[in-house]
Amino acid sequence: MTEIDTKIDALVPAWLTLPDIAEELDVEVTRVRQLVKEGQLIAVRRGENRVLQVPADFIAGGKIVKGLAGTLTLLRDDGFSDEEMLEWLFTADPTLPGTPAQALRENRGTEVKRRAQALAV
């Protein structure tokens, strides 16, 4: 859980607080904190009050987007920081097309993971 820089903040179209995520997933806030701790979600401190927030694109249909946790694990194993992962996930990739985060939401996780694995080379 880190402070967000303005460049990455501008890349992410929308954010949700941990209580918002808990409501979307129909779980307790403590469970959302555990998901962040386990690396299944990335939360950063934003705004004047430095409230922990998660990119809204990580949640769809009351669930964490399929393939997100595996992609985060691959990127973390490649030495990416939370900020670098967010930047990579929300930067347009013309070969996808769109951003890796959009591709995950569209159930194109295999393509995203392939690109994440290629980063390690």
Side-chain angles (χ1 to χ4, degrees):
M1 293 176 269
T2 53
E3 195 78 35
I4 187 85
D5 80 16
T6 52
K7 176 184 174 190
I8 295 167
D9 198 20
L11 287 174
V12 179
W15 297 87
L16 295 170
T17 63
L18 299 192
D20 292 338
I21 298 281
E23 191 173 314
E24 288 277 330
L25 299 178
D26 195 26
V27 297
E28 297 293 324
V29 174
T30 53
R31 177 64 184 135
V32 177
R33 289 186 184 281
Q34 187 65 32
L35 292 168
V36 171
K37 190 175 181 180
E38 292 170 356
Q40 294 184 46
L41 290 172
I42 298 173
V44 294
R45 296 202 176 272
R46 297 181 64 246
E48 286 181 30
N49 297 333
R50 298 184 62 241
V51 174
L52 277 175
Q53 297 185 30
V54 173
D57 283 350
F58 289 176
I59 307 298
K63 296 180 181 173
I64 296 173
V65 171
K66 183 180 173 192
L68 177 66
T71 301
L72 294 178
T73 299
L74 282 171
L75 294 172
R76 202 169 278 115
D77 289 351
D78 289 345
F80 277 57
S81 67
D82 286 357
E83 297 83 8
E84 291 167 331
M85 287 189 278
L86 286 171
E87 184 174 354
W88 185 79
L89 284 164
F90 288 95
T91 298
D93 180 341
T95 66
L96 271 172
T99 67
Q102 287 170 326
L104 285 172
R105 285 181 66 86
E106 295 167 1
N107 205 21
R108 294 186 287 140
T110 304
E111 296 174 47
V112 173
K113 287 180 185 167
R114 196 173 298 133
R115 283 162 179 75
Q117 287 171 327
L119 296 171
V121 177

